[in-house]
């Protein structure tokens, strides 16, 4: 495992530990959801360049239209005054917003449909300059099988589909092909403009190297929802008729890498150097 992979595996364990502990302590679902948003926001604040800020609130345009409450807003804090951020109720001019992220603790058909409604409403706002911000979706725990969730995502109208998405605990990653291709290259395939894929746990050779396209399989008689492998705990997921072992940290890593890349490219900046440190098996995905 490379240094980058090891680091991100640790990041995910910390993120998931925060979520699990808080969810055990707090019984109110609304408070659980908010803490999950904060955990992801803290991760993004450490990840994205300092010219961007991370907050939550409502997005407005100059015609007095406004979005629904947005879980995570990535905005340009270097070039714009914070005259609409003087209270706990923050308003973000759409011209200053670079990305919106919907965060869900549990992922099912209704949550995916709701996220689609929010993306559609965001595009009803009219920026006077620049383009609409990208809309992304991050979920923690799926309540349905991967193939079913993939069907819900593909079933959305194009104007409702998230530009990038990650369902962390089952290792699902995807979005618009043009946003994934700069990071994943030919791994995204050429058959679909909207990609839905999984990050599975790789088999390793005698020297410990990951084998691209070869995946570790759970025991035939497994009884637990997770499997231990080389010191890590990984979820077992059902994809079509097969049971596979997912690697959530790679899904989160790919999502974050694509997010940072799109932030740079959409502002006409050069891609971040971090994208050069991801290659080979780290970026291996399996379309579903």
């Amino acid at each position: 495992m490379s240094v980058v992979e090891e680091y991100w595996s640790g990041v995910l364990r910390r993120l998931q530990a925060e979520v699990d502990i808080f969810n055990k302590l707090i019984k109110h679902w609304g408070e659980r959801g908010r803490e999950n948003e904060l955990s992801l926001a803290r991760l993004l604040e450490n990840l994205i360049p300092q010219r961007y800020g991370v907050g939550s609130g409502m997005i407005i345009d100059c015609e007095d239209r406004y979005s629904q409450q947005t879980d995570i807003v990535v905005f340009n804090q270097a070039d714009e005054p914070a005259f609409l951020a003087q209270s706990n109720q923050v308003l973000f001019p759409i011209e200053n917003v670079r990305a919106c992220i919907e965060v869900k603790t549990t992922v099912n058909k209704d949550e995916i449909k709701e996220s689609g409604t929010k993306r559609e409403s965001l595009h009803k706002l009219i920026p006077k300059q620049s383009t609409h911000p990208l809309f992304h979706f991050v979920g923690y725990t799926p309540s349905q099988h991967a193939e079913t969730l993939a069907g819900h995502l593909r079933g959305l109208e194009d104007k409702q589909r998230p530009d990038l998405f990650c369902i962390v605990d089952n290792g699902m990653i995807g979005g618009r092909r043009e946003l994934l291709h700069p990071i994943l290259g030919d791994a995204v395939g050429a058959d679909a403009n909207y990609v839905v894929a999984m990050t599975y746990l790789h088999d390793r050779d005698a020297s410990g190297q990951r084998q691209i396209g070869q995946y570790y399989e759970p025991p035939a008689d497994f009884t637990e929802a997770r499997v231990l492998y080389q010191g890590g705990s990984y979820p077992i997921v059902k994809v079509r008729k097969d049971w596979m072992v997912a690697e959530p940290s790679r899904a989160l890593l790919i999502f974050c890498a694509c997010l940072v890349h799109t932030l740079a490219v959409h502002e006409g900046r050069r891609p971040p150097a971090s994208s050069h440190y991801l290659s080979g098996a780290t970026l291996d995905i399996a379309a579903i």
Side-chain angles (χ1 to χ4, degrees):
M1 183 181 292
S2 71
V3 171
V4 173
E5 289 171 345
E6 287 191 18
Y7 176 80
W8 272 87
S9 181
V11 168
L12 180 71
R13 285 197 297 270
R14 185 188 69 193
L15 180 67
Q16 195 64 54
E18 288 184 6
V19 173
D20 289 345
I21 291 172
F22 193 87
N23 287 350
K24 288 178 181 178
L25 294 175
I26 304 299
K27 302 302 181 184
H28 189 276
W29 278 100
E31 291 300 321
R32 285 187 181 187
R34 184 58 189 149
E35 178 59 24
N36 292 344
E37 295 164 20
L38 291 173
S39 295
L40 183 60
R42 287 192 290 268
L43 172 67
L44 294 177
E45 284 175 342
N46 292 327
L47 175 73
I48 64 178
Q50 294 184 356
R51 62 179 170 273
Y52 301 111
V54 178
S56 65
M58 288 172 36
I59 300 166
I60 61 171
D61 69 10
C62 63
E63 299 295 331
D64 205 30
R65 292 177 287 250
Y66 53 89
S67 72
Q68 299 181 48
Q69 177 73 17
T70 304
D71 295 333
I72 294 179
V73 178
V74 180
F75 61 97
N76 189 326
Q77 65 181 357
D79 299 332
E80 297 285 345
F83 69 96
L84 294 175
Q86 303 304 313
S87 73
N88 290 332
Q89 302 301 317
V90 182
L91 302 178
F92 297 94
I94 190 170
E95 294 83 1
N96 197 32
V97 176
R98 299 297 177 261
C100 303
I101 305 176
E102 178 81 352
V103 182
K104 294 297 184 182
T105 299
T106 303
V107 185
N108 54 35
K109 181 179 181 179
D110 290 340
E111 303 289 13
I112 290 173
K113 185 177 180 180
E114 181 183 341
S115 76
T117 301
K118 287 189 173 183
R119 186 187 190 277
E120 186 176 5
S121 69
L122 177 66
H123 278 249
K124 292 179 179 178
L125 277 61
I126 308 299
K128 288 295 185 181
Q129 58 194 39
S130 73
T131 59
H132 285 91
L134 295 176
F135 182 92
H136 309 311
F137 178 87
V138 175
Y140 281 88
T141 304
S143 63
Q144 296 173 304
H145 290 313
E147 191 176 14
T148 302
L149 294 175
H152 298 328
L153 286 160
R154 291 195 177 100
L156 295 173
E157 297 181 48
D158 186 70
K159 62 184 178 181
Q160 296 180 322
R161 289 174 175 172
D163 297 298
L164 295 171
F165 71 84
C166 177
I167 303 176
V168 178
D169 201 45
N170 72 349
M172 182 179 283
I173 182 72
R176 301 184 187 278
R177 186 179 186 279
E178 67 269 21
L179 301 182
L180 294 165
H181 187 268
I183 297 298
L184 293 171
D186 293 340
V188 299
D191 297 332
N193 291 325
Y194 198 77
V195 177
V196 183
M198 305 293 292
T199 54
Y200 297 135
L201 184 65
H202 290 103
D203 266 335
R204 297 174 185 265
D205 62 18
S207 65
Q209 294 297 311
R210 293 171 175 266
Q211 302 298 292
I212 296 177
Q214 300 180 32
Y215 307 114
Y216 179 79
E217 296 182 0
D221 57 348
F222 73 89
T223 57
E224 301 292 333
R226 304 181 74 87
V227 63
L228 295 176
Y229 181 74
Q230 295 191 346
S233 175
Y234 301 92
I236 299 173
V237 299
K238 188 175 184 180
V239 181
R240 299 186 177 93
K241 297 181 179 180
D242 299 320
W243 291 100
M244 305 292 292
V245 180
E247 190 172 15
S249 58
R250 283 203 302 115
L252 185 62
L253 171 57
I254 292 170
F255 173 83
C256 290
C258 291
L259 171 63
V260 172
H261 187 277
T262 57
L263 287 174
V265 170
H266 277 70
E267 287 200 329
R269 302 177 185 273
R270 64 183 182 183
S274 58
S275 60
H276 302 307
Y277 289 81
L278 305 175
S279 61
T282 303
L283 301 178
D284 182 30
I285 60 173
I288 62 172

